[in-house]
C-alpha cells in the first residue's frame, strides 16, 4: 500500500533506495563486527570479545531501525546477502591475523566511511527530497556511529 505522507512517490522511492544502501552498509559492518567477536585472539581476547559483542548488538538494532524506516516510507527493505553486497560501499575485507588492533582499525575505517556517507546525504533528504523525518533520523544515526567510532579509536591510543 502506498504511503501518503506528503512526499511524492518518486521522492519516496529515492529516499528508500538511499536508505537501502545504508542498510547494506550496516549489515556488512555487522557481519565484520561479528567476525571480530568470533575470531579475536591474543592477550586481550576476553575484553575485546565482549567489546565487539556490544558493538554488534548496537549495529543489529540499527539494522532493524533502518529497515523499518524503509517500510514506513512504503517500500520493501533489501534482505538478502546478494542485495546487500550489491548495495554496500564497504568491502568484505579479510584478515590474515586475528589481533584486536587489526580488527579495530578495520572496523573504525568502516564506521568513518559510513559517517562520511551519511553526512553527505543529510541535506539531500531534507531538500530536495523534502523528507525531514529521514534527515533527522540519519543525523541521529550518524551521531551513533560517531560514538562507536570514538570507542574504537580510544582502543588505539
Amino acid at each position: 500500500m502506498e504511503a501518503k505522507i506528503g512526499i511524492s512517490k518518486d521522492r519516496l522511492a529515492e529516499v528508500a533506495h538511499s536508505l537501502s544502501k545504508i542498510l547494506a552498509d550496516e549489515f556488512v559492518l555487522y557481519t565484520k563486527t561479528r567476525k571480530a567477536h568470533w575470531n579475536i585472539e591474543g592477550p586481550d581476547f576476553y575484553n575485546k570479545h565482549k567489546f565487539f559483542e556490544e558493538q554488534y548488538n548496537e549495529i543489529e538494532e540499527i539494522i532493524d531501525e533502518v529497515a523499518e524506516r524503509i517500510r514506513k516510507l512504503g517500500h520493501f527493505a533489501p534482505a538478502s546477502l546478494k542485495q546487500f553486497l550489491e548495495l554496500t560501499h564497504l568491502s568484505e575485507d579479510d584478515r590474515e591475523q586475528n589481533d584486536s588492533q587489526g580488527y579495530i582499525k578495520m572496523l573504525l575505517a568502516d564506521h568513518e566511511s559510513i559517517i562520511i556517507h551519511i553526512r553527505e546525504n543529510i541535506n539531500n533528504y531534507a531538500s530536495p527530497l523534502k523528507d525531514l523525518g529521514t534527515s533527522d533520523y540519519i543525523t541521529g544515526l550518524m551521531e551513533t556511529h560517531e560514538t562507536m567510532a570514538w570507542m574504537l579509536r580510544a582502543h588505539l591510543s
Side-chain angles (χ1 to χ4, degrees):
M1 183 169 223
E2 183 180 336
K4 296 178 183 174
I5 57 174
I7 302 170
S8 75
K9 194 174 184 177
D10 291 342
R11 288 180 177 151
L12 284 173
E14 192 172 337
V15 171
H17 181 69
S18 180
L19 286 172
S20 293
K21 291 178 181 181
I22 292 172
L23 178 60
D25 289 345
E26 300 290 354
F27 197 87
V28 170
L29 179 59
Y30 169 81
T31 302
K32 291 168 78 171
T33 306
R34 271 277 191 178
K35 180 180 180 179
H37 168 75
W38 287 332
N39 293 306
I40 186 69
E41 294 179 324
D44 57 352
F45 163 78
Y46 185 77
N47 289 337
K48 295 304 184 282
H49 180 76
K50 289 295 191 185
F51 172 71
F52 292 137
E53 182 176 15
E54 291 171 10
Q55 292 243 322
Y56 76 67
N57 282 332
E58 190 160 359
I59 297 167
E60 185 176 33
E61 288 180 32
I62 291 170
I63 289 168
D64 191 54
E65 291 170 359
V66 174
E68 288 178 359
R69 180 77 195 161
I70 293 167
R71 294 297 296 137
K72 288 176 191 176
L73 300 176
H75 289 265
F76 291 103
S80 74
L81 298 177
K82 182 178 188 277
Q83 288 174 307
F84 291 144
L85 290 174
E86 289 171 353
L87 290 166
T88 190
H89 78 277
L90 302 179
S91 72
E92 278 192 296
D93 279 343
D94 208 3
R95 304 188 34 71
E96 290 184 25
Q97 294 184 348
N98 294 320
D99 63 308
S100 62
Q101 293 293 303
Y103 279 126
I104 289 170
K105 288 176 184 175
M106 176 187 66
L107 295 172
L108 175 59
D110 285 350
H111 279 278
E112 289 175 340
S113 180
I114 289 171
I115 290 165
I116 291 167
H117 176 75
I118 290 173
R119 189 179 310 281
E120 290 172 346
N121 283 284
I122 290 171
N123 290 333
N124 188 46
Y125 291 119
S127 178
L129 296 175
K130 309 282 190 224
D131 187 351
L132 295 174
T134 297
S135 180
D136 180 61
Y137 169 72
I138 69 161
T139 299
L141 180 56
M142 179 189 67
E143 291 170 352
T144 298
H145 278 286
E146 287 173 340
T147 300
M148 294 177 81
W150 167 46
M151 296 294 165
L152 287 160
R153 206 176 298 113
H155 282 90
L156 297 175
S157 297

